[in-house]
Amino acid sequence: MPLYEFRCDDCGVFDEWRSLAECNNPAHCPTCEEPAKKCLHHRCCCLVRCD
Ligand SMILES: [Zn+2]
């Protein structure tokens, strides 16, 4: 399962494991629980783009 990087406007970047089926679902910041945007890149070497 790839590790995706998300960015909260208030709290900064955090990582979350996501399956490919869930990669387009919005993440929620673990600190303030606001919706966070997925960064354009992720840290795994998977070639599948989810954007
Ligand atoms: Zn936050």
Side-chain angles (χ1 to χ4, degrees):
M1 192 154 41
L3 178 63
Y4 289 94
E5 196 168 82
F6 295 87
R7 182 185 301 276
C8 173
D9 289 338
D10 294 329
C11 308
V13 172
F14 63 95
D15 296 321
E16 194 167 295
W17 294 100
R18 283 293 176 93
S19 69
L20 291 177
E22 294 176 324
C23 65
N24 284 324
N25 292 352
H28 292 273
C29 175
T31 305
C32 68
E33 299 187 349
E34 289 293 314
K37 297 171 184 171
K38 183 162 64 67
C39 292
L40 292 178
H41 63 282
H42 55 80
R43 292 180 180 173
C44 96
C45 55
C46 171
L47 296 176
V48 177
R49 283 180 57 100
C50 298
D51 300 323

